[in-house]
Amino acid sequence: MKTLIILAHPSEDSFNKAISDEVKQHLEFKKHEVKIRDLYKLNFDPILREDNYTSFYQNKLPKDIKVEQDYITWAENLVIIFPTWWNGMPAILKGYIDRVFTNGFAFRFTKGESEGLLKEKKAVVFQTTGQSENVIKPNQLVSSMETVIDVGILDYCGLNVITHKFYFSVQHINKEAREDMLKEVNGIVDIL
Ligand SMILES: Cc1cc2nc3c(=O)[nH]c(=O)nc-3n(C[C@H](O)[C@H](O)[C@H](O)COP(=O)(O)O)c2cc1C
């Protein structure tokens, strides 16, 4: 199996980075080929500028976007890891999707109909939060993020979303609870 990890967190000491390391280690142990696109380390430019905007509709791709699309083409699975920032994903990841998931690559939109083009691939999403589940869930914030990300983006592009796992209040939990979460991460990616 070929798995691409897309990580959107600026800190090496973050729990998000720990999830990414855990996924990589576990899947490599299971003989997956694993590649990582660490968007901050890559200094990925998330801004869809005028030239890129024009190319979005013409399928003439900037070089940096073609590189990212080749990674996605290579992968059978995408594992997307990010913290919740303002009840959504960090801007760098949103910009990655804006620029990389282009018409003609991730989906095809013709005559008012759209078709996902990443059909054969599976996706697993790990998303951390600062707030507790008790605060976030009653406000429908979890379900709204699941709808936007899983349905509005990934499923729209044809990806088969296996799990969208939230880890709540991660800055406020102890070492043991974090270790339990990381063990659970292994169990989740075992289905890939
Ligand atoms: C700019 C910014 C916005 C944030 N917005 C939210 C939010 O809307 N909801 C929430 O639960 N936590 C929010 N947080 C907290 C992060 O989600 C939390 O610090 C992160 O998930 C912890 O994981 P980490 O240790 O890997 O950074 C925000 C943090 C930052 C820096």
Side-chain angles (χ1 to χ4, degrees), residues 78 101 118-119 121-123 154-161:
L78 302 185
F101 285 31
L118 303 178
K119 273 185 204 120
K121 301 178 196 296
K122 294 180 198 156
L154 301 175
D155 181 66
Y156 181 80
C157 294
L159 284 151
N160 178 12
V161 182

Side-chain angles (χ1 to χ4, degrees), residues 19 22 27 41 49 54 71 82 86 90 126 142 162 174:
I19 294 174
E22 193 71 28
L27 290 180
K41 263 204 188 140
R49 295 170 209 282
T54 309
Y71 275 100
F82 57 94
W86 291 110
F126 291 108
V142 168
I162 305 290
N174 61 27

Side-chain angles (χ1 to χ4, degrees), residues 1-6 27-28 31-37 66-79 105 118 120-121:
M1 278 283 187
K2 294 173 182 162
T3 298
L4 185 69
I5 298 173
I6 300 167
L27 290 180
E28 281 180 346
K31 307 286 179 230
H32 278 233
E33 280 181 69
V34 180
K35 294 184 181 178
I36 300 188
R37 303 310 282 157
K66 177 77 174 72
V67 168
E68 297 310 320
Q69 291 186 347
D70 286 348
Y71 275 100
I72 292 174
T73 301
W74 166 86
E76 294 165 280
N77 310 310
L78 302 185
V79 178
F105 171 73
L118 303 178
E120 306 300 320
K121 301 178 196 296

Side-chain angles (χ1 to χ4, degrees), residues 41-56:
K41 263 204 188 140
L42 291 168
N43 204 17
F44 181 80
D45 176 4
I47 300 176
L48 179 56
R49 295 170 209 282
E50 191 174 2
D51 56 339
N52 199 180
Y53 180 75
T54 309
S55 68
F56 187 88

